[in-house]
Amino acid sequence: MSDVTGEAELRCLRRCVELAAQALDAGDEPFGSVLVDGDGTVRAEDRNRVASGDSTRHPEFALARWAAENLTVAERAAATVYTSGEHCPMCAAAHAWVGLGRIVYAASSEQLTGWLNEWGVPASPVAPLPVAAVAWYLWSEASDQYAATTGFSVRAEEVGSAIELLGGVADLSGSSARSDADLLVAFMGSQDMVRTLDTRLDLRARWSLPEYDPIFGFDPSGTIEDLTDYWQRMVRVTHDPGAGLIEVEVRAFAPDDAQMIAAAIFGESSDRINALSAIARADTTRHAERDLAEAEARLAVARTELTAYRSANQVVNPGTDVQGQMGVLATLQQQLADEVIRLDMLKSRRRSNQARGDQAEQRVRVIEARVADERGKIGGGDAQVSAEGYATVVAGFERLQVEREIAEAAYAAAQVAYDVAVAEARRQTRYLAAYTNPTLAERATYPDRPVILGMTAFFATLLWAVGVMVVQSLRDRR
């Protein structure tokens, strides 16, 4: 703000008195005001005009309306209003809502009231209010506060997987970046966040810097609950659910402190969102990992049992092995039949050669022994037992083979489910993307003195009006 000092200020106040004299000559109340911009240039002036019947035509009120229509926000904040008398509650509220800067007056409301009483002038319908005390505290004792701003949003990685490309797996995620942002906003206002940053940065010391400001400073002896309540005053979190943007404004009595606290809030928020992301990924893959482990164990057992069965029966494929052995047995049986016929023919001859007969009998015995041996390998010594042994071996093998195939199918399904879960876990990844880094203030923006003063005047007027109505009501009943 550019201040007008010395002779220039006196000159403006003298002009206010001149305007008050003009108002008095015209039959109005003796008040005049001058609006000066930050460069010291007089931009507008006016006098009281309530004689027209409109009791709101105060010069301070008129200058506030003129400033709202003709000056920018920055120009209004740098401007100064000079007036012959202290603002009434109505004009003080208008001054605050428009956002004008300093107020410099020649006479206070207390002085004016005393003069009017001495002159016997009837009291104004609007009683003077203790606005001067509030204004004195705001501009004399209240410490300047600097604001640092940071903005970020919760983002989700848009990762596509081969599973999705091949199978069109839908997004089955139970959480979203929007719900995570809601959780994060709640966390930033929690006692957990306050306690963590107080441990790291000593918030109590940083927010209790002003020694003579009990209204806006923090009492370092306060409890964690007091510090959390004070946090709500000094940290403002704005969340736009539609756009997913989160903006944090942090106030402190030093610009470096405000920036440091804002950066710490972003860091803690990033750590918390990473923790939420890790929990979501673990929840998504936990059941799939368990199913895959069970399928692997089942497949291992099925393969082990099948290998043991093959070793016990000394076969790789009972069907193929027994089929080959049955072929050998059929050949031997055919040979045996041929030798038996040949032996019978030799015995039927009257002049048979004894040596040839003995040889034929020997061949029959050898072939019979081989047939018995082959039948023993298959499972029995006769045809019935051989068939039963073959059926038992094949049935046992087929049972174990079916169990292995089922275990392999279950393992393949579990592997696909695990791949899907991993793809979903990747989609659960959340992170904070900052669109505004913590700023470093160059001038104090808090407390908003004009607004506070105007609100004080407004509510004081409201209380006074209620009191007047109560008093009048009691009088009417008498």
Side-chain angles (χ1 to χ4, degrees), residues 106-122:
S108 66
S109 296
E110 183 179 359
Q111 290 174 317
L112 179 61
T113 302
W115 296 334
L116 293 176
N117 290 336
E118 292 178 2
W119 300 334
V121 178

Side-chain angles (χ1 to χ4, degrees), residues 184-237:
L184 188 60
V185 170
F187 169 69
M188 283 189 287
S190 68
Q191 188 179 112
D192 187 16
M193 169 68 92
V194 177
R195 189 186 301 275
T196 300
L197 292 193
D198 184 36
T199 303
R200 287 177 50 188
L201 304 178
D202 194 2
L203 295 178
R204 299 170 188 268
R206 297 181 187 278
W207 278 340
S208 61
L209 288 179
E211 299 180 358
Y212 305 104
D213 188 3
I215 302 300
F216 297 100
F218 178 74
D219 182 3
S221 64
T223 63
I224 185 61
E225 290 79 11
D226 297 331
L227 185 59
T228 303
D229 293 339
Y230 190 77
W231 171 280
Q232 306 298 332
R233 293 172 50 188
M234 303 298 282
V235 178
R236 184 180 65 184
V237 180

Side-chain angles (χ1 to χ4, degrees), residues 443-458:
R443 66 180 180 87
T445 53
Y446 292 95
D448 197 340
R449 293 174 173 88
V451 171
I452 296 175
L453 183 64
M455 294 296 294
T456 301
F458 172 77

Side-chain angles (χ1 to χ4, degrees), residues 23-75:
L24 187 61
D25 294 339
D28 293 299
E29 296 179 354
F31 294 99
S33 299
V34 175
L35 177 64
V36 178
D37 62 19
D39 296 328
T41 303
V42 176
R43 301 297 298 272
E45 60 181 29
D46 202 354
R47 63 174 179 81
N48 188 285
R49 303 179 186 276
V50 297
S52 62
D54 185 354
S55 298
T56 65
R57 297 193 64 181
H58 294 193
E60 301 86 356
F61 192 82
L63 292 184
R65 296 184 60 181
W66 183 93
E69 296 174 356
N70 296 278
L71 299 181
T72 65
V73 174
E75 289 174 336

